[in-house]
Amino acid sequence: MVQCFAPDCRHTSESHTCRFFGFPSQKKKKEDYTRWIKLLRRADKLPGNHSRVCSCHFRDGLKENGPEIFQRNKRTMFPPDDYSEKRKEAAAKRKRSSGASNNPVESVEEMVQQYREQERKAEENEMSAINRKPVAQIVLEAELQSKSKELEVYKEKAAYHRSHYSASTLSEEVIRMETGLPTREVFNIVVLYALRFKDSIRYYYGWVVNLVTFEDQIFITLMKARQNYTNLHLAQLFSCSVATIANIVSTFIHVLHYILFHDLMTTIPIDCTDVEIATPGLMSHQNVTYSTYRGMNSFKVLIGVAPNAVITYVSKLFPGSISDKAIVEKSGFLKQLEAGDLVLADKGFLIQDVVPNGVSVNIPPFLNNGKFTESEARVLKKRMRPVDAHSTASHRRYIFQHPSFGHT
């Protein structure tokens, strides 16, 4: 399906019978290409190799005339039928009044002076007409114009909601199904948080998406991440092109990762969990996958969560015999840490010597003779804030109840 590149035009090859013309070659016909760009006035987007303009924007439907007819000038594009005759009569009258001067320079100067004089008189007449209007009428006209603009905006929003699959019109259950977020309130928090960075967002494909609202662009991205819909399916739901969907998803995946993941990674409770497997047939595989701590053959996975129990990191699977410290080193988890981060871990994670500079590791102290001394208990209480203890508990409860991992 081909869609017209011209602004304010919704003509497509499937819904209209008009022809679609490709842009002149930027190298071979540079002047024609530049002229088309200036006439179309698309500051938000440059044409691609497959961009087309429908014949409705060309005089007589001919490509050589160039795109000249648009919504902004369709009422003033063509002069009245007697325009050329009046122009000839005016020129003849000026020629007679000038005495048929043989000096072309003087004739041009006289024409310019007459044109400026006519413009000045027209401006004076317009100003005098305005000055004659009562103040109440001027205020009323201004209010009427303001209300008309508000009505147009309202109509555009209503038309958008009727023709688009929009988050603003969906129930909380549908939003939970499509995005995985628990409530509409959480979704609105994400939208408002991302809205603070709207002016600094640079779209992946270089052109700004204005056809879809900012809220729905985030909604599309979350739907893609949650349901893995195809771009074509999302394009049909939101009445836009596949390229627009690709531009939105590629942009907001990075935006949401930056503003959510990086902000939540300041405090990271981590733990390893085992996924039990059947005993392998080969003895070498049995030795590699056997966990002496769990007493079974398994794979291990490292999981990091945010303080609110949202999973922020999942490593690849490792054989059950590997240590927790080795998983931290080999999984790439250390690359996610930055100076100022705090890692909460169990006693098996002896990783203080491998974390980057500026990253703190908080693990419980080891017992001496089976119990903590009074001084160790005071230190532990001081180091472990209530929120950190709550985060660790939420982390473990979430992991071991998650259906993807099973109970260990």
Side-chain angles (χ1 to χ4, degrees):
M1 182 180 70
V2 179
Q3 183 172 352
C4 182
F5 187 81
D8 301 327
C9 182
R10 299 291 182 267
H11 288 194
T12 64
S13 57
E14 294 183 357
S15 60
H16 292 75
T17 58
C18 51
R19 294 178 296 169
F20 288 82
F21 300 130
F23 278 74
S25 173
Q26 190 174 3
K27 295 181 179 179
K28 297 180 180 180
K29 298 181 178 180
K30 187 175 181 180
E31 293 183 0
D32 293 340
Y33 176 83
T34 304
R35 178 171 175 263
W36 279 40
I37 295 296
K38 291 181 178 179
L39 290 172
L40 287 169
R41 298 184 184 179
R42 286 294 298 268
D44 62 320
K45 183 179 179 182
L46 291 176
N49 295 332
H50 303 288
S51 298
R52 298 291 186 271
V53 181
C54 67
S55 57
C56 300
H57 302 286
F58 297 78
R59 290 178 184 265
D60 303 324
L62 300 178
K63 181 178 180 180
E64 54 267 22
N65 292 331
E68 299 175 327
I69 307 171
F70 302 100
Q71 192 72 18
R72 62 178 184 269
N73 65 355
K74 66 179 183 180
R75 296 182 180 180
T76 59
M77 185 64 193
F78 299 100
D81 294 337
D82 59 342
Y83 178 78
S84 57
E85 297 296 331
K86 290 183 178 180
R87 187 175 180 181
K88 291 179 180 178
E89 292 177 3
K93 185 177 179 180
R94 286 194 300 270
K95 186 175 181 180
R96 287 193 300 269
S97 62
S98 62
S101 174
N102 295 326
N103 192 339
V105 177
E106 293 180 359
S107 300
V108 171
E109 290 179 352
E110 291 176 358
M111 291 173 61
V112 171
Q113 291 178 358
Q114 291 178 2
Y115 177 75
R116 289 177 177 174
E117 184 67 22
Q118 292 175 0
E119 280 192 338
R120 186 182 62 80
K121 290 181 179 180
E123 290 178 358
E124 290 178 354
N125 294 334
E126 185 177 354
M127 291 301 296
S128 60
I130 294 175
N131 293 332
R132 286 194 298 269
K133 290 183 180 180
V135 176
Q137 183 180 352
I138 296 175
V139 173
L140 184 62
E141 289 178 355
E143 291 180 352
L144 180 61
Q145 186 177 6
S146 175
K147 295 298 181 182
S148 299
K149 291 182 179 179
E150 291 180 3
L151 181 61
E152 290 178 1
V153 172
Y154 176 79
K155 288 181 178 180
E156 289 178 358
K157 289 182 177 179
Y160 177 87
H161 292 153
R162 285 195 302 269
S163 60
H164 290 70
Y165 186 73
S166 177
S168 59
T169 60
L170 299 176
S171 65
E172 186 170 290
E173 290 76 12
V174 177
I175 290 179
R176 185 187 304 116
M177 176 195 71
E178 295 286 26
T179 66
L181 299 179
T183 62
R184 176 185 289 276
E185 184 180 1
V186 174
F187 173 73
N188 291 336
I189 290 173
V190 174
V191 173
L192 292 175
Y193 190 70
L195 193 62
R196 300 187 304 170
F197 306 92
K198 181 179 179 180
D199 295 335
S200 60
I201 293 176
R202 295 184 179 180
Y203 282 80
Y204 188 79
Y205 289 160
W207 45 274
V208 179
V209 177
N210 293 320
L211 182 63
V212 182
T213 63
F214 188 82
E215 179 187 46
D216 283 343
Q217 292 185 48
I218 295 178
F219 186 50
I220 289 171
T221 307
L222 294 175
M223 288 175 63
K224 182 72 173 180
R226 175 71 174 181
Q227 305 291 351
N228 196 24
Y229 291 137
T230 63
N231 289 351
L232 179 60
H233 178 66
L234 292 171
Q236 292 296 316
L237 287 177
F238 290 89
S239 303
C240 59
S241 65
V242 174
T244 300
I245 295 296
N247 192 16
I248 292 172
V249 173
S250 300
T251 300
F252 280 88
I253 280 291
H254 291 85
V255 171
L256 294 178
H257 176 268
Y258 179 81
I259 65 178
L260 298 179
F261 178 80
H262 283 281
D263 286 352
L264 292 175
M265 282 292 286
T266 55
T267 302
I268 315 114
I270 62 172
D271 201 356
C272 285
T273 188
D274 293 78
V275 182
E276 186 176 4
I277 62 173
T279 304
L282 296 178
M283 185 62 67
S284 59
H285 292 176
Q286 292 181 21
N287 293 336
V288 171
T289 59
Y290 186 77
S291 172
T292 56
Y293 179 72
R294 294 290 183 182
M296 62 183 181
N297 294 95
S298 64
F299 286 113
K300 296 178 70 173
V301 60
L302 175 67
I303 298 180
V305 299
N308 59 357
V310 175
I311 292 179
T312 57
Y313 181 81
V314 179
S315 72
K316 296 180 180 179
L317 292 174
F318 290 87
S321 61
I322 193 172
S323 67
D324 294 342
K325 180 178 181 180
I327 290 182
V328 172
E329 291 179 312
K330 295 181 180 181
S331 64
F333 173 74
L334 298 176
K335 296 179 181 179
Q336 308 298 329
L337 301 176
E338 297 178 355
D341 289 343
L342 171 64
V343 179
L344 304 180
D346 203 356
K347 291 185 293 185
F349 289 85
L350 304 177
I351 58 175
Q352 293 91 334
D353 58 330
V354 297
V355 296
N357 293 332
V359 175
S360 303
V361 179
N362 197 342
I363 62 175
F366 290 91
L367 291 175
N368 292 323
N369 300 323
K371 63 179 181 180
F372 291 119
T373 64
E374 185 177 350
S375 61
E376 288 175 337
R378 285 197 299 269
V379 171
L380 177 60
K381 184 178 180 180
K382 182 178 180 180
R383 290 173 58 189
M384 292 293 290
R385 297 175 300 169
V387 64
D388 295 335
H390 172 72
S391 301
T392 306
S394 300
H395 162 234
R396 289 179 176 175
R397 181 171 62 254
Y398 188 90
I399 292 172
F400 294 121
Q401 292 180 357
H402 198 281
S404 301
F405 299 100
H407 299 281
T408 56

